[in-house]
Every structure is written in structure tokens, then in C-alpha cells.
Amino acid sequence: MNAGIIGMGKFHPEKIVTNHDLEKVMDTSDEWIRTRTGIEERRIAEDDCDTSDMAYEAAKRAIQDAGITAEEIDLILVATVTPDRPFPSVSCMIQHRLGAVKAAAMDISAACSGFMYGVATAKQFIESKAYRYVLIVGVEKLSKITNWEDRNTAVLFGDGAGAAVMGPVSKGRGVLAFELGADGSGGSQLYENEQKHIVMNGREVFKFAVRQMGESAVNVLEKAGLTKDDVDFLIPHQANIRIMESARQRLNLPVEKMSKTIHKYGNTSSASIPVSIIDELEAGNIKEDDIIVMVGFGGGLTWGAIVVKWGK
Ligand code: ACO
């Protein structure tokens, strides 16, 4: 039995903060942000909209898209580094709100790689037949741990949620292979400090990301018994257009075969990959039986890549 994505949903806060808005409150420029990162604007959640609220909205839409009911879900995995509070977990909070009464629930802390960790975990439960339907949500309210005095990081991040329901799919489709990894020795390159602010060594994270995105994408294809020529679409974590471009070039893909949503949303960490898949589906860029490579990296340091043959 193969496990695959059978439904998806996303949520973005309404408030748009453009680079020009940031120019007014810090020493930066639209030109610097666009050319160095590819970001033009990001969504920022209001005070009364916390991580669990965004997760709930995205999850509700994914369940509806999958054509199942909340009661049928066996497990909820929420990938986030910005939970409402350490406990109860965001997954427990949305389990209750969704009415997913039989679901087990836990959060995953793997920063921007969290959705990849979730998909790989769900695959194990479904293919071992322990569970049938697993809900995975990548959600972040990074604005609450952003230091708005630090232009090195404040311009990069956004808030949002992307969710997927995974379940059994037809033979040959679904998640074909995954690669997960971590290097805790790089923890000090990207972390939350005691003031609850993101601290980042941008240049070091950049170098790590360029190396790891390319390597993980190549490795995961090999695990799936595929080559670069088989790839129809690349969904890289949307952290920086220059990092994404390096992964695309490593796979010899034309520009139109890589998802680019960073200009609209900034870096939404664990939400960036599921949100990008949804936008590409809506744009008609992903079709049934396409081979999709998703690849991400993040704080930890962590990384993850997944190859999917799209469709139920
Ligand atoms: N506006 C204007 N100038 C700025 C800004 C800004 N917002 N931020 C930094 N600068 C300045 C710096 O101060 C520096 O000035 P100096 O030369 O006088 O010291 C200059 O711009 C160049 O800085 P660099 O750090 O060399 O810029 P770089 O080209 O490396 O880009 C960036 C910085 C965008 C942060 C890049 O390093 C990057 O994207 N790194 C990876 C970040 C990332 O992907 N993080 C993932 C987080 S994932 C997670 O887990 C949340």
C-alpha cells in the first residue's frame, strides 16, 4: 500500500506588509530585500489570530478537500516552532476544534523542515496499516518571534499555514522516497534566544542551505530509483530565491518547473512547502502522475526531501 496526499488546504492572514511598509520602520529598502531574497511582501497575523487559529483553518480546508470527515482522522501532526504555548500542543488544540475525536495528536519541532518530517512520519503509519488518515499541518506565526529592530531577520519572515491529509493512494502513486537529516552542531546558526527572538547567522545558513538543498534533492531521487530527468516540478522551501535557484540548477530544471511563492509570502517556515504545492495546483502547474520533489532546510539544523508521484 502506498501513502500519498489526498487533500490540501491553506490559510493566510489578510494583512499584507510590503517591503515599502518596512522601509518606513527600519533601515532597509525594497531594492535590497527583492534582490537579496526575492521577497516583495508577506502576510502578518493580527494579535487575535494565533498559530492554532491558522492551523485550524488550513486543516478544515484540507479535510474538506480530501472528502473525508474529521472523525475519520487517526493522527494529527502539526509542524511548528511557534506554537501558541509549549503545551497543550497545537495539534491537540485543533484536534478538539476540528472534532477529530479518535485522532492521536503531537507537534513536530523541525523548523522549516517540519512538513517534510511530518509527511515521512505519516507515510510510516499509513503504509504499516496502523492508521488510515493522517493530517499534517505546517504552520507558523513567525511575527511573534521576529525582532523588528533587527533588519537582518525582520524582512525575511511571514505567517501562514498549509495542511495536507495523507491516506492510501493507488499503486505507484504517493510518497516514493524521503530523506531526513539533522546536524545539531549547527544549532547556534539559527535559534530562538531568551528574549524569544529569532537569531540567525545569515551567511552560514545560506552556505549550508545551498549545499544541503542540492544534495538532498539528488539523494532522494536516487532512493526513489529516479533521475533528474524524471522530475516534473520542484517545490523548494521558500527561504531565499538565490538558495532556491541553486537547487533548481542542481536538478537542471527550467525556471518554470520550480515553485516560486516567496515574493508573496516571505519565508513562512514549515508552511512554505504545503502552501507552494497548493498555489501550483491552483495554477495548473502540477498534474496527475507528475514527479514532484519537495526539499527544505531549517533551524536545528534540519533538512528533508520527499519525492511524490502526484495523484490519488
Ligand atoms: N536591508 C538593508 N541592508 C541589509 C539588510 C536589510 N534588511 N539586512 C542586512 N543588510 C546589510 C548587512 O548589514 C550587510 O551590510 P555590511 O556589508 O555593511 O555589513 C549587507 O546588507 C550584506 O549582508 P549579507 O549578510 O552579506 O547579505 P546576504 O547577501 O548574505 O543576504 C540574507 C542576507 C538574505 C539573510 C542571506 O544571507 C540569507 O538568505 N541567508 C539564509 C537565510 C535563511 O534561509 N534562513 C532560513 C531560516 S529558516 C528557519 O528555520 C526559520
Side-chain angles (χ1 to χ4, degrees), residues 26-29 32-33 36-37 81 111-112 142 151-153 155-157 190 198 200-203 205-206 209 237 239-240 242-243 267 269 297-299:
M26 65 183 77
D27 181 18
T28 189
S29 67
W32 192 97
I33 303 171
R36 297 293 180 116
T37 71
V81 292
C112 306
L142 291 166
R151 68 174 183 173
N152 291 294
T153 53
V155 302
L156 303 176
F157 303 111
L190 179 56
I198 300 170
M200 183 177 73
N201 182 341
R203 280 178 211 182
V205 175
F206 191 96
H237 169 45
N240 182 312
R242 293 179 290 148
I243 298 171
N267 178 352
S269 189
F297 68 93

Side-chain angles (χ1 to χ4, degrees), residues 39-53:
I39 299 166
E40 291 169 23
E41 59 187 46
R42 71 285 291 139
R43 302 296 182 98
I44 300 292
E46 302 289 352
D47 289 347
D48 63 356
C49 174
D50 211 337
T51 302
S52 63
D53 300 307

Side-chain angles (χ1 to χ4, degrees), residues 116 213 233-238 253 257-259 272-278 280 286 292-296:
M116 307 288 90
M213 292 271 271
F233 214 80
L234 172 66
I235 313 268
H237 169 45
Q238 310 278 314
L253 284 172
K257 298 257 176 156
M258 179 183 79
S259 178
S272 96
I273 289 178
V275 160
S276 295
I277 300 173
I278 295 169
E280 299 304 342
I286 296 177
I292 312 293
V293 174
M294 310 170 202
V295 59

Side-chain angles (χ1 to χ4, degrees), residues 181-199:
D183 176 7
S185 73
S188 60
Q189 306 296 352
L190 179 56
Y191 64 99
E192 187 187 306
N193 69 11
E194 278 165 17
Q195 286 75 44
K196 304 223 173 294
H197 284 149
I198 300 170
V199 180

Side-chain angles (χ1 to χ4, degrees), residues 176-177 218-228 230 307:
L176 305 182
V218 170
N219 289 348
V220 80
L221 281 169
E222 201 179 304
K223 284 186 181 175
L226 299 171
T227 69
K228 296 174 186 178
D230 297 311
V307 183

Side-chain angles (χ1 to χ4, degrees), residues 10-173:
K10 64 169 184 163
F11 175 82
H12 292 291
E14 272 173 33
K15 184 174 163 193
I16 295 173
V17 175
T18 66
N19 293 346
H20 295 292
D21 293 328
L22 293 179
E23 281 177 345
K24 292 175 200 147
V25 294
M26 65 183 77
D27 181 18
T28 189
S29 67
D30 172 56
E31 201 270 335
W32 192 97
I33 303 171
R34 263 190 302 106
T35 54
R36 297 293 180 116
T37 71
I39 299 166
E40 291 169 23
E41 59 187 46
R42 71 285 291 139
R43 302 296 182 98
I44 300 292
E46 302 289 352
D47 289 347
D48 63 356
C49 174
D50 211 337
T51 302
S52 63
D53 300 307
M54 294 191 282
Y56 167 70
E57 292 299 333
K60 210 170 54 176
R61 293 167 195 179
I63 293 166
Q64 191 180 20
D65 188 47
I68 65 165
T69 63
E71 292 85 3
E72 290 178 89
I73 294 169
D74 298 294
L75 174 65
I76 300 175
L77 301 170
V78 173
T80 187
V81 292
T82 50
D84 297 31
R85 52 185 68 78
F87 65 92
S89 61
V90 174
S91 46
C92 280
M93 294 172 79
I94 66 167
Q95 187 251 15
H96 174 60
R97 276 177 80 179
L98 292 166
V101 284
K102 86 168 179 200
M106 64 175 171
D107 286 3
I108 294 175
S109 178
C112 306
S113 318
F115 187 76
M116 307 288 90
Y117 272 69
V119 169
T121 305
K123 174 181 165 73
Q124 311 310 314
F125 279 109
I126 296 164
E127 293 185 359
S128 67
K129 298 199 170 85
Y131 291 143
R132 187 168 176 82
Y133 295 121
V134 181
L135 169 69
I136 306 129
V137 188
V139 57
E140 302 292 356
K141 188 176 180 183
L142 291 166
S143 60
K144 68 181 174 185
I145 60 165
T146 298
N147 179 359
W148 294 101
E149 313 268 286
D150 175 16
R151 68 174 183 173
N152 291 294
T153 53
V155 302
L156 303 176
F157 303 111
D159 301 333
V165 175
M166 282 180 62
V169 293
S170 50
K171 204 159 176 278
R173 287 180 174 164

